[in-house]
Amino acid sequence: MQSKKLLTLFLLTCFSVIAQQKITVEEIYTGAFRAKGMDELQSMKNTNQYTVLNSDRATKSQQIDLYDFATLTKVATVLDTKNHSQLSDGIDSYTFSKDEKQILIANNSAPIFRHSFTADYYLYNISTKELTKVLEQVQEPTFSPDGTKIGFAKSNNLFIYDIASKNTTQVTTDGKKNSIINGITDWVYEEEFAFVRAFDWSADSKKLAYIRFDETEVPQFSMDLYKKALYPTAETFKYPKAGEKNALVSLHVYDVNGKSSKAINLGNYSDFYIARMKWTNDANVLSAQVLNRHQDNLDLIFVDGTSGVAKVVLNEKDKAYVDVTDNLTFLKDNSFIWTSEKDGYNHIYVYDKTGKLKNQVTKGNWEVTNYYGFDEKNKTVYYQSVENGSTVRDVYKICLDGKKKVKLSQQVGTNAATFSPDFTYFINTYSSSTVPMTYTLNSSKDGKQVQSIVDNTALLDKLKKYDLPTKEFFELTTEKGHKLNAWMIKPKNFDATKKYPVFMYQYSGPGSQEVANNWLDTNDMWFMMLSQEGYITVCVDGRGTGFKGAEFKKCTQKELGKFEVEDQIDAAKVIGNYSYVDKSRIGIFGWSYGGFMSSNCLFKGNDVFKMAIAVAPVTNWRFYDSIYTERYMQTPQENASGYDDNSPINHVSKLKGNFLLIHGTADDNVHVQNSMQMIEALIQANKQFDWAIYPDKNHGIFGGKTRIQLFNKMTNFIKEKL
């Protein structure tokens, strides 16, 4: 009888081991938990169809496949790489000409910075099935609207390639590294205004507008690249730090037939940014969003393409800063749709072609988070918002007059949409913290699902053997009364009578969000792994984060790192008082802005946090770039105390707990200088700490086995110190 009991116990133990298989860092960072998607999903413009880039592992080939929106059936394979030996390395991306008869295919891409890259480009004629290599290692090639030409940039100059004659015309000649850039943004514009292509075709294909950057007086930054050579090489580029000189920008219009450029007179502005530029539907009217250096005044200007005269059609001011919008959409009569948070929340507005307000389309104490398009026929706007809570996303439609609003998404979580050209259907991308990405075809009339396209039930089945806990979402109220979004991951075998260590994760940057009801990313899978080791992970979005209105987001103005740090410390105190938490074992982790925060929390909250990990942190805002830093802090010359009072480098003497500092030496964004100066400050304060430097790794610290080694290092540090 005793032996039967032992056998039963043994079997149950074996079963529980099988049922609760441990996650490993190796699995996480080799893609074992990656969800299936629809790669390069593009809605066509002229037919009610869409394309997807599919891969065939058996033949090691890729296909651009065309599907019908109404039936989801594959209409055709537009291109198959197995029929074109030139594309044996695959397709990196593709773009259609306006008439959708030609495709530009990128191949052999080489990254430059976060968004920028050079690539070889092939021109594919869909009707003749002819594939021709037309451009080598260029940037941002763009079809003219009439499909006869391709504008592109190379070596800081602009060019136009004529498809019929195969001739190339050089638009600019003064481009020079670290001096003059034509038609491509400089480092700081690319990073902070998030665009690379700084040129645009007019609607009639007769003009090419572009921004010119004169970087001559911008201070330059150098970083060594070690590689495996006998001597390191230095990478030098222009990087304006807070309060330093920016590039001088100017706006130009090139006449394609006349082969001449005209500078636009922007004499009313000094020390300004051209944050966006695009032609309107009027072939002679160019629009640009011009910001002052403080970024608290934005002018939308219209430029006459012939005379070069510029006029302000819309102005926005804010006591903190004005966000640039990507949602500027010109309607047939050149009236336009615009998004703004001028009433305290981000909403959709419509203006006539002179800039006179016609109507505020959406209203309420919630934010529009994406604008999908305007159906001219039915005078209907399609958008995404947080109307049902800041941690979820839903898809809506509304008439231009602000009436007849319809919620189109059906499930609670994160919904996003890709609409058919006639807005009859949309592909809904949905996920939540318990449901990986699913793609469904839905009707735009009422949002009802027509058909499933892609789901990830196989991934869910795979995860069953790990028996993972679920993310619990809740609102945490600090002792000061601040209500903050939060989530918690507890061990699956959680016992409320035990005391658990807590590992806090956050990013905390202005307008950011980490507490969102969407599918688990690689960080989440790591936190799940930590839960299997007996740790509770908590994430709290403090003041300064996004999607709860301008006041909540902008309260950190001029004092980055004050209220955000206060909120993390206060949240840790609340969590420490939970009956099942060991308040003597609370740690915190963050990357980039989150590393700035985790450092500050450990130093300033030395009686609350036992340990912290800071990856690629800003340690003093004086070291960071002008556009980002000054948007929130103004310049160091104007706001010295705002910079210094909340920079962790100035609080190293308060360190009591265990600190792990990590940085890549080739981080072009948050320079390793930040960590080097922090290290020296810690040494001179006679503080013991741990650190890891990753040679030739950028802000993401990845490549080869890097992420595996890095996350194993952090895991071991947590196990040892928390």
Side-chain angles (χ1 to χ4, degrees):
M1 197 73 178
Q2 187 69 23
S3 61
K4 281 186 177 180
K5 281 183 179 178
L6 286 171
L7 180 62
T8 305
L9 184 63
F10 173 74
L11 289 170
L12 284 170
T13 305
C14 289
F15 178 76
S16 71
V17 169
I18 294 167
Q20 294 180 318
Q21 186 169 322
K22 289 285 185 78
I23 296 173
T24 66
V25 165
E26 286 73 13
E27 284 177 304
I28 297 169
Y29 291 99
T30 52
F33 307 112
R34 193 175 294 137
K36 285 191 302 181
M38 296 176 74
D39 290 342
E40 291 284 325
L41 170 63
Q42 295 186 29
S43 178
M44 304 297 277
K45 302 288 187 290
N46 303 317
T47 58
N48 218 35
Q49 297 168 322
Y50 64 91
T51 60
V52 176
L53 183 61
N54 289 318
S55 298
D56 186 335
R57 288 187 179 180
T59 59
K60 294 181 179 177
S61 61
Q62 287 178 295
Q63 298 77 35
I64 300 174
D65 288 327
L66 183 69
Y67 296 84
D68 180 72
F69 254 109
T71 63
L72 298 181
T73 54
K74 187 164 89 170
V75 177
T77 293
V78 180
L79 180 144
D80 193 326
T81 59
K82 72 171 180 277
N83 300 326
H84 302 278
S85 58
Q86 307 101 302
L87 296 177
S88 58
D89 292 336
I91 295 170
D92 296 337
S93 60
Y94 62 92
T95 53
F96 285 88
S97 58
K98 189 178 179 182
D99 63 7
E100 296 175 338
K101 293 179 179 178
Q102 302 174 96
I103 311 176
L104 259 179
I105 296 167
N107 172 269
N108 195 25
S109 298
I112 303 172
F113 297 121
R114 187 186 294 264
H115 306 288
S116 56
F117 62 93
T118 59
D120 296 335
Y121 286 88
Y122 293 83
L123 184 65
Y124 184 67
N125 185 304
I126 294 173
S127 58
T128 66
K129 294 184 167 40
E130 183 182 359
L131 183 76
T132 311
K133 188 175 186 178
V134 289
L135 302 166
E136 281 195 19
Q137 291 304 300
V138 305
Q139 288 183 264
E140 302 294 320
T142 306
F143 282 111
S144 59
D146 64 8
T148 65
K149 298 174 179 66
I150 300 167
F152 67 93
K154 185 170 185 172
S155 303
N156 290 20
N157 279 313
L158 263 180
F159 300 83
I160 294 174
Y161 175 82
D162 185 275
I163 293 171
S165 68
K166 298 183 179 178
N167 290 331
T168 299
T169 302
Q170 188 160 351
V171 174
T172 67
T173 56
D174 59 348
K176 184 181 177 185
K177 183 176 170 62
N178 288 337
S179 179
I180 304 294
I181 315 172
N182 293 288
I184 295 291
T185 53
D186 66 355
W187 185 93
V188 72
Y189 266 62
E190 174 180 339
E191 178 66 27
E192 306 305 353
F193 288 139
F195 74 110
V196 176
R197 179 168 62 88
F199 67 87
D200 197 39
W201 288 99
S202 62
D204 61 4
S205 304
K206 293 179 180 178
K207 297 184 182 73
L208 193 71
Y210 63 94
I211 305 172
R212 178 182 183 269
F213 293 79
D214 182 347
E215 297 187 293
T216 309
E217 294 191 30
V218 178
Q220 58 189 31
F221 186 83
S222 291
M223 56 189 188
D224 285 335
L225 298 177
Y226 299 95
K227 300 181 181 175
K228 294 182 180 177
L230 189 60
Y231 292 92
T233 57
E235 178 69 29
T236 302
F237 56 100
K238 298 287 187 159
Y239 185 107
K241 296 196 181 230
E244 299 296 314
K245 285 194 174 179
N246 283 320
L248 298 172
V249 291
S250 51
L251 190 58
H252 303 258
V253 175
Y254 177 77
D255 184 298
V256 175
N257 295 326
K259 295 186 178 180
S260 62
S261 280
K262 175 184 301 211
I264 304 305
N265 183 3
L266 297 175
N268 294 337
Y269 301 99
S270 62
D271 212 357
F272 63 97
Y273 301 113
I274 304 172
R276 292 289 184 272
M277 173 205 65
K278 71 186 285 188
W279 286 93
T280 71
N281 286 332
D282 183 331
N284 202 43
V285 178
L286 173 71
S287 77
Q289 295 181 45
V290 180
L291 275 171
N292 64 335
R293 182 149 181 170
H294 277 171
Q295 299 173 64
D296 56 8
N297 187 95
L298 184 149
D299 286 342
L300 175 65
I301 62 169
F302 281 2
V303 177
D304 185 293
T306 304
S307 68
V309 173
K311 63 178 180 181
V312 177
V313 293
L314 187 151
N315 170 261
E316 292 216 359
K317 291 182 174 68
D318 192 281
K319 63 181 187 292
Y321 59 89
V322 181
D323 274 321
V324 171
T325 179
D326 283 312
N327 300 324
L328 174 60
T329 304
F330 292 98
L331 310 185
K332 283 180 179 173
D333 62 356
N334 238 31
S335 59
F336 58 91
I337 286 170
W338 177 264
T339 54
S340 165
E341 56 183 11
K342 66 182 183 179
D343 78 345
Y345 294 87
N346 194 50
H347 281 296
I348 299 169
Y349 297 79
V350 60
Y351 293 84
D352 71 15
K353 65 180 180 181
T354 68
K356 182 183 176 185
L357 178 64
K358 292 173 76 172
N359 186 40
Q360 180 175 345
V361 182
T362 60
K363 295 183 179 76
N365 295 342
W366 46 269
E367 309 249 315
V368 169
T369 45
N370 212 332
Y371 163 80
Y372 293 123
F374 176 66
D375 178 3
E376 292 263 8
K377 182 182 172 186
N378 296 308
K379 299 288 183 270
T380 302
V381 173
Y382 296 85
Y383 66 94
Q384 180 200 57
S385 78
V386 294
E387 188 167 349
N388 298 303
S390 56
T391 62
V392 299
R393 302 285 185 275
D394 282 298
V395 178
Y396 283 86
K397 68 176 180 179
I398 191 170
C399 290
L400 203 59
D401 60 7
K403 297 175 182 175
K404 296 182 181 176
K405 181 166 66 175
V406 178
K407 179 172 170 280
L408 296 174
S409 46
Q410 308 283 314
Q411 296 168 285
V412 176
T414 298
N415 295 274
T418 301
F419 283 88
S420 62
D422 66 359
F423 292 97
T424 303
Y425 299 100
F426 66 98
I427 293 173
N428 192 75
T429 308
Y430 167 76
S431 80
S432 72
S433 61
T434 56
V435 180
M437 216 69 81
T438 63
Y439 296 79
T440 57
L441 182 70
N442 296 62
S443 164
S444 298
K445 181 183 177 184
D446 50 18
K448 286 184 179 171
Q449 182 177 320
V450 178
Q451 197 173 332
S452 174
I453 307 173
V454 175
D455 65 38
N456 275 285
T457 50
L459 176 58
L460 278 177
D461 289 340
K462 181 179 184 176
L463 287 171
K464 282 178 183 174
K465 64 184 177 185
Y466 296 93
D467 194 23
L468 299 179
T470 55
K471 260 187 187 180
E472 299 171 26
F473 291 87
F474 63 104
E475 189 174 67
L476 183 147
T477 305
T478 67
E479 280 189 7
K480 296 183 182 76
H482 300 296
K483 296 183 183 300
L484 309 174
N485 291 337
W487 56 250
M488 178 182 286
I489 298 172
K490 296 173 184 167
K492 184 72 176 184
N493 58 355
F494 174 75
D495 181 348
T497 65
K498 289 184 178 179
K499 295 277 188 182
Y500 292 89
V502 168
F503 187 59
M504 290 179 67
Y505 163 69
Q506 46 65 55
Y507 178 74
S508 304
S512 66
Q513 184 176 55
E514 293 300 326
V515 184
N517 191 359
N518 51 23
W519 181 240
L520 312 174
D521 62 15
T522 50
N523 275 345
D524 290 314
M525 294 308 297
W526 184 51
F527 303 143
M528 292 289 179
M529 189 191 91
L530 291 177
S531 79
Q532 293 180 330
E533 300 293 332
Y535 294 92
I536 290 175
T537 303
V538 178
C539 180
V540 179
D541 276 343
R543 284 171 291 172
T545 56
F547 311 109
K548 295 177 81 172
E551 189 178 340
F552 186 86
K553 180 174 73 172
K554 295 177 179 179
C555 71
T556 61
Q557 194 71 7
K558 294 191 185 179
E559 294 185 299
L560 291 187
K562 182 180 179 181
F563 298 125
E564 307 97 303
V565 170
E566 189 180 292
D567 284 351
Q568 294 299 319
I569 292 172
D570 289 351
K573 287 177 179 175
V574 171
I575 292 158
N577 287 327
Y578 292 168
S579 61
Y580 51 83
V581 168
D582 182 347
K583 67 166 64 177
S584 69
R585 297 174 68 196
I586 299 178
I588 190 164
F589 157 67
W591 198 302
S592 192
Y593 198 104
F596 158 75
M597 287 288 298
S598 58
S599 305
N600 254 336
C601 287
L602 184 64
F603 301 162
K604 290 185 174 186
N606 56 17
D607 57 337
V608 176
F609 292 100
K610 185 181 181 185
M611 58 79 75
I613 301 173
V615 184
V618 171
T619 62
N620 188 324
W621 287 109
R622 293 172 182 271
F623 300 148
Y624 200 55
D625 75 59
S626 56
I627 293 179
Y628 183 93
T629 312
E630 293 170 17
R631 181 185 301 151
Y632 311 115
M633 297 283 278
Q634 297 192 349
T635 66
Q637 294 87 337
E638 296 167 300
N639 182 24
S641 63
Y643 278 76
D644 298 333
D645 291 353
N646 302 304
S647 284
I649 200 168
N650 297 325
H651 297 278
V652 292
S653 62
K654 299 169 185 169
L655 173 62
K656 288 182 185 175
N658 298 293
F659 186 45
L660 174 57
L661 178 61
I662 295 166
H663 222 120
T665 65
D667 191 334
D668 60 277
N669 183 357
V670 180
H671 303 147
V672 73
Q673 170 194 23
N674 283 269
S675 284
M676 289 303 182
Q677 295 215 16
M678 174 91 104
I679 288 163
E680 176 61 11
L682 285 160
I683 291 167
Q684 295 311 319
N686 195 23
K687 296 293 181 180
Q688 292 298 317
F689 62 100
D690 293 270
W691 56 295
I693 296 293
Y694 286 82
D696 298 339
K697 296 300 180 283
N698 65 14
H699 197 53
I701 313 182
F702 61 88
K705 299 284 178 70
T706 304
R707 277 288 173 102
I708 294 171
Q709 196 275 351
L710 167 61
F711 275 82
N712 274 324
K713 174 177 282 295
M714 294 197 295
T715 303
N716 293 337
F717 187 80
I718 293 163
K719 287 180 178 179
E720 288 170 19
K721 307 298 187 184
L722 192 61

